[in-house]
Amino acid sequence: MKKPKWVVEKEQAKRAAAAQTVWLFGLHAVRDALMNPAREKLRLVVTRNALDRLGDAVAHGPEPEISDPRKFAAPIDPQSVHQGAALEVKPLDWGKLEEACMGDGTRPPRVVLLDRVTDPHNVGAILRSAEVFGAQAVVAMSRHAAPETGALAKTASGAMERQPYVRVRNLADAITELQGMGYLVLGLDGEADVTIDAAIDGKRDRAIALVLGAEGPGLRDKTKDTCDQLVKIDFAGEFGSLNVSNAAAVALYAVKP
């Protein structure tokens, strides 16, 4: 009996995902990935100088391949600032949304959701801020979002190994799921009437999720409709525009418990 097309496509996607690997580069990203026991590490390419700088972290990865810095052997963009270190790995699996966003019971959890933010440098910076401010997770769609890449990992400066980056099929469904878990979901929108501070007044003890859209288009209408409330960052003057990664950092600081 011939399998339905959708079954075949699902099986093909599963096999493709299993075969996917990522090349991380840069001393911080490579060192932290080597030290992460959850990482499946496949190949390590380093210059002798980078090998010395990585130190004991090398013992946690595959046998290093020593490469000439002028002809670096890793298959990455020659323009990448790799600092003489590159590591091939399998992408991390942070599990289900509910597990990542449950919180540890010690303080109200905070989560960041990204609506079609595709620039890996922005997402890397957001992961870094999320780790600094103690967010439970950064959530993005499986498609139309920045995948796990070397550029993202380098910008995150190691945070990608520790800060959950959960991918979901449908962002509106993820928002609804978080609301069912008791989260107050706030969508950042420059045209909103209410500031973040006003929206969370008396509610800092609640779980809070912040939803940010891509620069330019911002949040999609479906996302706006699903959020509990649209909020804005309170600016000092008339000009009120921030890079999405900067906006995430400011918003996370504003809602800290």
Side-chain angles (χ1 to χ4, degrees), residues 27-28 35 54 82 89 100 129-130 140 184 209 213 226-227 231-232 238:
L27 290 169
H28 277 300
M35 297 301 294
L54 287 171
H82 54 70
V89 298
S129 294
L184 172 66
T226 313
C227 291
V231 297
K232 64 181 179 181
E238 293 182 6

Side-chain angles (χ1 to χ4, degrees), residues 31-65:
R31 181 185 292 111
D32 286 333
L34 286 169
M35 297 301 294
N36 183 1
R39 272 289 188 194
E40 185 177 347
K41 305 128 195 170
L42 306 174
R43 185 183 171 197
L44 175 63
V45 180
V46 290
T47 62
R48 291 203 173 275
N49 180 53
L51 181 65
D52 292 339
R53 295 178 68 183
L54 287 171
D56 295 340
V58 174
H60 298 272
E63 184 69 24
E65 302 173 29

Side-chain angles (χ1 to χ4, degrees), residues 3 22 32 41 44 51 56 80 85 100 116 126 137 143 154 164 172 218:
K3 294 181 180 178
V22 179
D32 286 333
K41 305 128 195 170
L44 175 63
L51 181 65
D56 295 340
S80 301
R116 298 199 175 198
I126 291 168
R143 300 175 62 188
K154 193 169 192 306

Side-chain angles (χ1 to χ4, degrees), residues 49-96:
N49 180 53
L51 181 65
D52 292 339
R53 295 178 68 183
L54 287 171
D56 295 340
V58 174
H60 298 272
E63 184 69 24
E65 302 173 29
I66 308 301
S67 180
D68 186 328
R70 294 165 296 183
K71 297 180 180 178
F72 198 58
I76 60 177
D77 187 337
Q79 304 303 314
S80 301
V81 185
H82 54 70
Q83 299 174 294
L87 178 66
E88 185 182 18
V89 298
K90 290 280 191 178
L92 288 167
D93 181 5
W94 291 103
K96 296 181 180 179

Side-chain angles (χ1 to χ4, degrees), residues 35-232:
M35 297 301 294
N36 183 1
R39 272 289 188 194
E40 185 177 347
K41 305 128 195 170
L42 306 174
R43 185 183 171 197
L44 175 63
V45 180
V46 290
T47 62
R48 291 203 173 275
N49 180 53
L51 181 65
D52 292 339
R53 295 178 68 183
L54 287 171
D56 295 340
V58 174
H60 298 272
E63 184 69 24
E65 302 173 29
I66 308 301
S67 180
D68 186 328
R70 294 165 296 183
K71 297 180 180 178
F72 198 58
I76 60 177
D77 187 337
Q79 304 303 314
S80 301
V81 185
H82 54 70
Q83 299 174 294
L87 178 66
E88 185 182 18
V89 298
K90 290 280 191 178
L92 288 167
D93 181 5
W94 291 103
K96 296 181 180 179
L97 179 73
E98 181 181 5
E99 297 167 353
C101 300
M102 184 61 70
D104 57 11
T106 60
R107 60 179 182 173
R110 302 294 185 254
V111 168
V112 177
L113 295 99
L114 304 178
D115 189 2
R116 298 199 175 198
V117 179
T118 58
D119 186 331
H121 298 95
N122 277 332
V123 176
I126 291 168
L127 286 170
R128 195 171 179 179
S129 294
E131 181 184 27
V132 168
F133 293 112
Q136 294 297 124
V138 175
V139 181
M141 292 183 293
S142 301
R143 300 175 62 188
H144 308 297
E148 191 175 320
T149 63
L152 191 157
K154 193 169 192 306
T155 307
S157 193
M160 193 168 74
E161 303 303 318
R162 300 176 293 272
Q163 180 63 45
Y165 183 39
V166 181
R167 311 298 290 281
V168 296
R169 188 165 175 267
N170 185 290
L171 198 68
D173 289 347
I175 290 172
T176 301
E177 184 175 348
L178 289 174
Q179 289 166 332
M181 293 169 61
Y183 272 83
L184 172 66
V185 182
L186 304 176
L188 267 73
D189 185 340
E191 302 298 318
D193 297 324
V194 181
T195 65
I196 295 177
D197 286 341
I200 66 169
D201 185 32
K203 301 174 183 175
R204 287 185 182 272
D205 60 341
R206 287 192 59 180
I208 297 175
L210 300 165
V211 191
L212 294 98
E215 292 175 46
L219 298 177
R220 291 171 296 157
D221 290 340
K222 175 70 172 177
T223 305
K224 291 180 181 180
D225 292 342
T226 313
C227 291
D228 291 308
Q229 190 171 9
L230 298 180
V231 297
K232 64 181 179 181

